[in-house]
Amino acid sequence: MSHKQDQKNRASELEAALGFAADKAARDKFFMSSALNSFVQGEKKNKAELAEYLEIGVEQLSRLALCRRPYSNEVATFRRDTTAIANRFEIKPATLANLLRRAETYEFNQNSVPSGYLMAARDYEDAPEGEQEGKEKEPPNDA
Amino acid sequence: MQHKDEAGLALHRRLLEGDPIAPSEVAEQFLLPLKDYLRRKYPQTEPEMWLDAATMALLNYVKQPDSYKPEGKSLFNFLKMAAEGDLKNDLARHKRRTSRIVSLNHVALANLAGNINVEEEFITRQDVTSRLQGLKRYQAKTSQSITEDEPDRRLLELMQAKVRATAEYAKVLGIEHLPLQKQREEVKRNKDRLSLRLKRWEEKSRLQGQDHEP
């Protein structure tokens, strides 16, 4: 087997392993994976649609899922974490904040809300225009 | 992995500082090497257990990075130990579970109290079903039954026909007048008794070299 083929196999093995880990992490609110999972379930989206929503490649989702989920009652900390993740994956920060807020809403509706996310996410969205990139419109049906 | 210590240490510091990207990078860097390590060290283990243990070790570490003390060993060595511990725990759990199922297959047929989980019960039922099929083939070949007792013979026929309705068994046992719960208990007791007899018959025929298996 050629060296190139070896590398290719290794890369796909890594993708599969990260995907496996991301799935495991979905049960733990420490990880972004939990938010992505709540979001896709609530919005009835598949992975491809999630990637499209975030404007990233599907292969990036596992890595994104394994990031720590932004958590804090403090807007500044939430904003810092969200922006750091958004910058790393070239996602619009407001899109990511919106995803986190919606995920939290779905989790809240299922009585499993970790306190603080929703408030911080909402405050982030309410921040002055100049402080955000690519601010999105409010979704019509959210709490 | 000596050459990765520096990178590992940098990642560790970022985790301690609460960098939200660091967990993902730790996974990217260490997940496959950990899996490879377990694969080499435990080649007989089921393949999915390597990745499972490696993943658990990583996820636990990134959540509790202060569990690692950099003065002692490299991050990779620490993760190797953690993953190995997780794998050993998995293996022990697996072994306990397997031995419990095996012992239940022996005990449950004699006195099935109904306090076993669905999977175990399914396995037990599968054994009974397979023995009933063996009996059917044996009877077809020899025109003999394992019992001369008429009600037992009819109960076995119902079991072979996979009849589940309590009422049918109650009819054969002549206990239709009893409350339903009592009927169920009595039916179950008799089915368990016959299952045990089936098991003994199977063992006996195996010892005698009789062919009732396909």
Side-chain angles (χ1 to χ4, degrees):
Chain A
M1 197 182 287
S2 71
H3 181 62
K4 232 178 189 176
Q5 188 60 42
D6 273 346
Q7 279 185 323
K8 207 176 161 188
N9 290 346
R10 193 68 176 161
S12 48
E13 194 184 354
L14 176 62
E15 292 307 318
L18 290 174
F20 177 86
D23 287 345
K24 281 234 156 190
R27 287 170 238 153
D28 191 332
K29 293 229 158 40
F30 177 88
F31 295 98
M32 271 297 297
S33 191
S34 63
L36 299 179
N37 193 44
S38 301
F39 180 78
V40 294
Q41 283 185 3
E43 302 272 324
K44 295 182 173 53
K45 286 183 190 292
N46 58 33
K47 280 190 176 179
E49 288 165 335
L50 173 65
E52 196 181 330
Y53 173 80
L54 293 168
E55 296 179 41
I56 59 174
V58 178
E59 71 286 350
Q60 293 280 68
L61 287 176
S62 300
R63 288 170 175 82
L64 172 63
L66 288 166
C67 288
R68 175 173 61 72
R69 184 173 171 167
Y71 63 91
S72 174
N73 290 334
E74 291 176 30
V75 180
T77 316
F78 180 85
R79 186 177 300 166
R80 187 199 63 203
D81 288 348
T82 305
T83 306
I85 296 170
N87 288 345
R88 159 67 182 79
F89 293 93
E90 298 181 359
I91 301 167
K92 289 175 186 159
T95 303
L96 190 58
N98 192 38
L99 178 148
L100 289 165
R101 186 173 65 79
R102 290 205 222 175
E104 183 121 352
T105 304
Y106 293 123
E107 287 163 358
F108 182 82
N109 290 338
Q110 290 172 1
N111 292 327
S112 60
V113 65
S115 61
Y117 292 93
L118 189 59
M119 200 168 37
R122 188 173 289 139
D123 289 349
Y124 179 91
E125 289 217 325
D126 291 344
E129 284 288 329
E131 291 184 27
Q132 296 177 35
E133 295 170 44
K135 183 169 165 56
E136 289 199 334
K137 270 189 176 178
E138 279 288 306
N141 293 323
D142 285 345
Chain B
M1 292 302 294
Q2 193 61 36
H3 63 289
K4 282 196 175 167
D5 269 353
E6 224 167 275
L9 208 55
L11 280 171
H12 177 65
R13 279 198 211 102
R14 285 172 57 197
L15 280 175
L16 290 176
E17 286 161 8
D19 181 341
I21 320 287
S24 176
E25 293 185 15
V26 169
E28 188 164 359
Q29 179 151 345
F30 291 109
L31 190 52
L32 276 193
L34 275 179
K35 183 190 162 194
D36 292 343
Y37 167 75
L38 295 175
R39 179 167 42 202
R40 280 194 304 272
K41 188 146 186 196
Y42 298 90
Q44 306 300 327
T45 312
E46 289 172 38
E48 59 269 29
M49 290 179 100
W50 301 321
L51 185 56
D52 203 38
T55 301
M56 288 318 295
L58 269 175
L59 297 185
N60 286 334
Y61 162 64
V62 297
K63 282 178 71 181
Q64 302 279 333
D66 51 6
S67 58
Y68 166 58
K69 306 288 175 218
E71 311 82 60
K73 51 176 84 73
S74 72
L75 179 56
F76 185 60
N77 280 338
F78 167 78
L79 289 171
K80 279 198 300 193
M81 280 183 63
E84 212 172 329
D86 284 337
L87 182 65
K88 282 178 181 168
N89 286 339
D90 278 354
L91 287 169
R93 228 185 341 261
H94 186 70
K95 199 175 166 188
R96 273 199 304 275
R97 205 167 155 271
T98 311
S99 64
R100 213 176 55 190
I101 289 173
V102 168
S103 74
L104 270 167
N105 277 343
H106 288 286
V107 176
L109 289 171
N111 185 20
L112 240 170
N115 286 329
I116 56 175
N117 72 33
V118 174
E119 192 183 345
E120 287 161 350
E121 188 168 6
F122 177 73
I123 290 167
T124 306
R125 276 192 191 160
Q126 274 199 321
D127 284 357
V128 175
T129 307
S130 128
R131 283 182 196 125
L132 282 166
Q133 284 166 351
L135 175 64
K136 209 172 188 177
R137 283 190 293 273
Y138 174 74
Q139 286 170 332
K141 217 187 272 182
T142 64
S143 307
Q144 286 178 4
S145 179
I146 60 167
T147 174
E148 297 303 316
D149 186 75
E150 182 60 15
D152 278 359
R153 199 187 52 73
R154 284 167 62 198
L155 288 176
L156 274 171
E157 279 171 5
L158 288 174
M159 288 166 76
Q160 280 176 325
K162 293 183 182 168
V163 173
R164 299 198 63 188
T166 302
E168 293 297 312
Y169 291 92
K171 232 183 272 175
V172 174
L173 292 166
I175 53 167
E176 292 157 287
H177 59 285
L178 294 177
L180 186 60
Q181 186 55 34
K182 283 272 173 210
Q183 286 184 31
R184 282 188 184 136
E185 287 168 10
E186 194 57 20
V187 167
K188 185 167 171 19
R189 195 182 63 75
N190 276 280
K191 283 168 84 173
D192 293 343
R193 179 177 56 79
L194 287 171
S195 298
L196 185 64
R197 184 179 285 190
L198 262 174
K199 185 173 173 260
R200 287 185 183 140
W201 164 78
E202 187 195 45
E203 284 165 356
K204 197 174 154 195
S205 358
R206 193 174 288 142
L207 282 174
Q208 291 172 349
Q210 287 177 8
D211 177 28
H212 66 270
E213 294 294 334

